[in-house]
Amino acid sequence: MNAIRSALARARSAPGLRAPRVCPYAAVGDTQPERVAAEMVRYALGGAGRQSPPEEVMRILEQGASNLQGGGEGAAEAVGMLMLAMSTQLYRSGRRQDAMEKLKATQQVAPSAAFRVAAWEALMGLRMEAGQDVSSSMSPNDSVDLSVKDEEIKWSDQDHLKFRVDAIKGLSALLNGEIDTVEAWTLFVFVTENAVLTYGEYLHCTGDFPLATQMYEKVLEAASTEDTSGNLLAAGNMAPEEVSLGATCSYGQLLSQSGKFGEAEDYLTRALQKAEEQFGSNHPKVGIVLTCVARMYKLKAKSEGSSSIMVQEGLYRKALEVLKAPAINSEDTRSQVDLRDIISLARGEYAELLLIQSNRKAEGERMKEWAQDAWKNRRLTLAQALEFSELSEPTVVDTRIGRVI
């Protein structure tokens, strides 16, 4: 932990924190193909595109890529932009595996290091959400057949890209419970909002609430003052809208764990609204946020010595419905269920409510057993995740990847 303490000391003694910026790698080129592609992406993934059927949005992006292919200067970058946007659209439509394949294809044809890193970052994020094994030793070249490239793309020689890669490696280390291996947080903390959010979650789960608060507020400040629609080199669950949602929800969780329930409810309500606007009211992202809202009411009831069983139960039931949780008596689902961290957490919390009701203890025991069997988190036991006290390790639900950190 000495390296961590040293990094935190440097962070606290550093000059005043600046709002994170994305300009070094997100700027769109000024060629005609790139300008055309940028407008298509903004239309397809923006408010207008959300009103259209997913198939129509994909058709627009695919047609654009076909038309711009081989169109001279800037064409390769334009096609890369559209491919990243296609992966985001596939992900939003619930086609995560297809989105991952599109990101692998984008990595292979990436016209520059910035595109390769953006595709790798999103691919890693989707792998984390899918519950696949991820390692902090992975790199943007892992999924690329370098033998078919005319030249090697040197992402590691560009500091802003290297730090962006390090931020994802740091997130995977957190996920794997390898907190002691994270040594470079202060180096990449100002590179992207994604990195700042991950750093905030690291501080959050290690108990440094004051500095975590600063990080969350910096992300939200940047999201409110910058035009994130111009950030075209980010995709999937690492896109700017996902980062804004994640910071809002994580900050709400921190506030609830700090006993500031009025503010916590405000931020979690905002997170719920963002999730519904971006994905629709029946999307699993909404279920993730609802789980966090229910947990806030649990902490509030405990703090006030009151009971809100009906409110909490209603929220957990709705969350599990939206998360598409399998039936408790389903065969062979505990190891295969999607968003296993969140469903196990929600069922574990719900079970605690049932166990205090004498006429529902048997139901509670079955639900508790299911949650314990399904829980595979490497950092915390389910009992640790369910408990929050001065002696316990804080937990944070990351809405980007649908995992408990």
Side-chain angles (χ1 to χ4, degrees):
M1 291 294 290
N2 289 336
I4 298 297
R5 293 193 180 98
S6 176
L8 291 178
R10 292 198 304 274
R12 291 190 178 99
S13 63
L17 295 169
R18 307 186 305 271
R21 300 178 61 194
V22 296
C23 299
Y25 61 85
V28 177
D30 198 35
T31 66
Q32 179 66 14
E34 289 171 281
R35 289 196 299 270
V36 171
E39 287 304 313
M40 294 182 73
V41 172
R42 293 189 182 103
Y43 174 84
L45 300 184
R50 290 196 184 102
Q51 305 303 316
S52 304
E55 298 79 9
E56 177 66 14
V57 175
M58 280 299 295
R59 188 191 67 78
I60 292 171
L61 295 171
E62 289 170 348
Q63 187 63 49
S66 176
N67 291 341
L68 292 169
Q69 192 78 42
E73 183 184 1
E77 289 77 7
V79 172
M81 250 187 283
L82 290 167
M83 290 180 72
L84 288 173
M86 287 180 218
S87 72
T88 299
Q89 178 58 28
L90 289 166
Y91 171 67
R92 289 180 179 177
S93 303
R95 298 168 59 186
R96 184 172 57 211
Q97 188 59 45
D98 289 337
M100 293 169 71
E101 293 304 318
K102 183 64 68 174
L103 289 166
K104 291 177 184 177
T106 307
Q107 280 188 288
Q108 189 63 56
V109 300
S112 70
F115 281 89
R116 177 169 292 175
V117 167
W120 175 82
E121 175 187 68
L123 182 59
M124 287 288 285
L126 296 187
R127 283 176 173 167
M128 292 180 204
E129 181 183 285
Q132 297 180 9
D133 287 337
V134 293
S135 167
S136 55
S137 65
M138 292 181 172
S139 91
N141 289 339
D142 290 343
S143 301
V144 179
D145 182 1
L146 298 177
S147 66
V148 303
K149 299 294 291 183
D150 294 332
E151 73 286 335
E152 183 180 356
I153 295 179
K154 295 284 190 179
W155 60 268
S156 59
D157 292 344
Q158 303 179 47
D159 282 347
H160 63 280
L161 295 179
K162 182 178 182 295
F163 296 153
R164 191 175 176 184
V165 169
D166 286 344
I168 287 293
K169 291 184 176 184
L171 182 57
S172 70
L174 279 180
L175 201 57
N176 291 326
E178 301 167 353
I179 293 181
D180 289 355
T181 67
V182 184
E183 299 181 2
W185 296 103
T186 54
L187 293 178
F188 62 68
V189 68
F190 298 123
V191 177
T192 72
E193 282 88 347
N194 241 330
V196 179
L197 174 54
T198 298
Y199 181 45
E201 291 180 339
Y202 161 73
L203 295 165
H204 186 163
C205 71
T206 54
D208 193 337
F209 283 14
L211 196 52
T213 294
Q214 291 183 47
M215 296 301 106
Y216 292 151
E217 289 179 344
K218 287 299 179 183
V219 176
L220 295 174
E221 178 186 351
S224 66
T225 57
E226 295 181 4
D227 178 12
T228 56
S229 67
N231 188 349
L232 303 176
L233 296 194
N237 58 7
M238 296 290 132
E241 297 83 2
E242 290 270 358
V243 178
S244 176
L245 170 61
T248 306
C249 190
S250 292
Y251 192 21
Q253 293 173 75
L254 183 147
L255 290 165
S256 69
Q257 292 167 358
S258 303
K260 300 177 181 179
F261 299 111
E263 294 177 71
E265 186 171 7
D266 178 42
Y267 275 92
L268 290 172
T269 299
R270 292 188 209 176
L272 186 59
Q273 291 172 341
K274 286 183 179 183
E276 290 177 337
E277 290 171 2
Q278 292 174 23
F279 299 100
S281 59
N282 292 315
H283 194 278
K285 291 281 183 183
V286 174
I288 295 173
V289 179
L290 282 171
T291 301
C292 297
V293 175
R295 299 191 81 204
M296 183 271 293
Y297 278 108
K298 170 191 172 180
L299 290 176
K300 183 180 181 182
K302 182 178 179 180
S303 173
E304 297 174 348
S306 61
S307 174
S308 58
I309 290 178
M310 292 184 65
V311 174
Q312 292 179 60
E313 181 172 353
L315 286 167
Y316 285 125
R317 287 177 63 183
K318 180 62 177 176
L320 289 165
E321 175 189 334
V322 176
L323 288 166
K324 301 176 178 62
I328 289 178
N329 58 0
S330 298
E331 296 293 333
D332 301 324
T333 57
R334 298 177 197 187
S335 62
Q336 302 169 11
V337 63
D338 202 19
L339 296 173
R340 185 173 57 198
D341 262 17
I342 310 302
I343 293 175
S344 301
L345 182 68
R347 279 205 162 136
E349 299 276 16
Y350 194 178
E352 289 191 339
L353 292 177
L354 298 176
L355 288 169
I356 62 175
Q357 303 175 58
S358 58
N359 62 333
R360 305 182 71 183
K361 282 187 176 180
E363 182 185 357
E365 289 290 353
R366 290 194 300 272
M367 192 172 291
K368 178 181 178 181
E369 181 184 0
W370 190 99
Q372 288 175 332
D373 287 350
W375 182 260
K376 302 299 180 186
N377 191 286
R378 294 181 178 179
R379 176 174 172 256
L380 302 160
T381 66
L382 180 59
Q384 289 173 322
L386 295 175
E387 176 62 27
F388 180 76
S389 67
E390 292 182 359
L391 300 177
S392 62
E393 294 184 76
T395 60
V396 56
V397 171
D398 186 319
T399 62
R400 292 174 298 179
I401 59 176
R403 301 289 293 275
V404 180
I405 295 175

